[in-house]
Amino acid sequence: MAVHEPEARQSYLVFACGSSWYAVPAETAAEVVTFPELTRVPGAPAHLLGVFAHRGEVIPVVDMGLLVGGASQSSRRAVLVRLPRGTLALTASTVAGVSPVTGTLDPLGPTGVHVHLRGPAKSGPRDVAVIDPEGLFDHLSQGA
Amino acid sequence: MGPPDVRGMLLCHAGPHRLAFHAHEVAAIAMPEGRDAASARRAFHAPDGAARVLVSASGGAVGVDTLEIEAEPHPLLPAPPVAVAASGGSLRGFVLVQGRLWPLVGLVDFERFLRGLVEGE
């Protein structure tokens, strides 16, 4: 399995969902929002909490805790991850800010969403899972 | 250029959840008794039930709890790919009515999706 050093010049937005910490490339993290009451999407799995309208765009909210097979988080805050194909809102109970990440960027698992979470990596003293935003977007857009 | 407008919709509820349909896709509105309708509540992981049934021209039927006719035009906002995938491709977009988002679904495709949920159980 290939081992890569994260690019030192790259900064990440580091945030927590419950007790787990995540990092997304800072250039994809558009803003941190408090989202309003959500509209449920018909057929949505549990981790897709719903959608809300933000500046003329309908944005899906993904509960990172449920997505990785853990517990739901009741946070109304989310990190907006903006990609050329659309935007995702990832729930965040705490936002630590932008910082470098050290470590490796290997998939944390062989299947499912864990393919798109990379590590082991650290942001300061914290263990973080580095999110591959494009991979996560593809994974969710395939009905996962 | 802004998003296209949708004119003529049925605004429905399945339990507490909102759904919208193009009015022109609904050939008839019927009572649920004696009809083999797919309950829209299935899409929200709730037990089946319906107070009214929307019947398509091809005879397919979807049960909902409430409905009202919305004649005014409203902009159709594109559905994110994540949401389209979740609804089995039946989601056409979202309309903003009364300050709330309503998922606009195609009646025939949505009925097929609901029946697939049951078969997949």
Side-chain angles (χ1 to χ4, degrees):
Chain A
M1 185 177 287
V3 177
H4 312 281
E5 286 294 328
E7 294 181 42
R9 59 185 167 80
Q10 192 167 20
S11 296
Y12 292 82
L13 181 72
V14 177
F15 65 98
C17 186
S19 59
S20 298
W21 287 87
Y22 300 93
V24 289
E27 70 269 19
T28 67
E31 58 186 304
V32 178
V33 299
T34 299
F35 55 81
E37 179 190 354
L38 297 177
T39 298
R40 286 287 292 171
V41 175
H47 62 255
L48 178 52
L49 299 181
V51 298
F52 67 102
H54 183 65
R55 297 176 184 164
E57 184 182 6
V58 177
I59 297 175
V61 179
V62 176
D63 185 317
M64 288 300 298
L66 288 174
L67 181 63
V68 300
S72 175
Q73 302 301 319
S74 58
S75 174
R76 298 286 296 267
R77 297 176 79 200
V79 174
L80 297 193
V81 177
R82 188 149 291 149
L83 301 169
R85 293 174 292 163
T87 303
L88 296 173
L90 307 179
T91 54
S93 49
T94 306
V95 177
V98 174
S99 64
V101 166
T102 58
T104 57
L105 289 179
D106 294 324
L108 293 181
T111 59
V113 68
H114 295 96
V115 173
H116 311 294
L117 301 176
R118 306 296 174 88
K122 281 187 171 291
S123 172
R126 301 182 183 100
D127 292 322
V128 298
V130 177
I131 296 172
D132 165 18
E134 294 282 353
L136 179 63
F137 191 94
D138 286 340
H139 176 74
L140 295 168
S141 299
Q142 290 163 6
Chain B
M1 198 169 76
D5 279 353
V6 180
R7 184 185 293 272
M9 289 179 290
L10 293 177
L11 302 180
C12 304
H13 281 92
H17 305 293
R18 297 183 290 279
L19 282 171
F21 299 86
H22 281 291
H24 68 78
E25 293 182 348
V26 180
I29 299 170
M31 300 299 287
E33 289 77 19
R35 281 202 175 268
D36 178 26
S39 171
R41 292 186 196 174
R42 291 177 196 170
F44 302 101
H45 314 289
D48 280 4
R52 293 287 186 277
V53 170
L54 311 181
V55 185
S56 69
S58 57
V62 170
V64 297
D65 291 299
T66 69
L67 65 87
E68 62 181 293
I69 297 169
E70 176 64 35
E72 295 298 313
H74 296 279
L76 178 65
L77 303 175
V82 172
V84 175
S87 61
S90 63
L91 185 63
R92 302 286 182 262
F94 290 85
V95 284
L96 192 56
V97 183
Q98 301 158 0
R100 292 168 177 263
L101 285 176
W102 298 69
L104 178 72
V105 293
L107 181 56
V108 172
D109 289 342
F110 188 55
E111 191 227 3
R112 188 178 302 126
F113 172 65
L114 293 172
R115 295 202 184 279
L117 290 179
V118 174
E119 290 163 6
E121 285 176 355

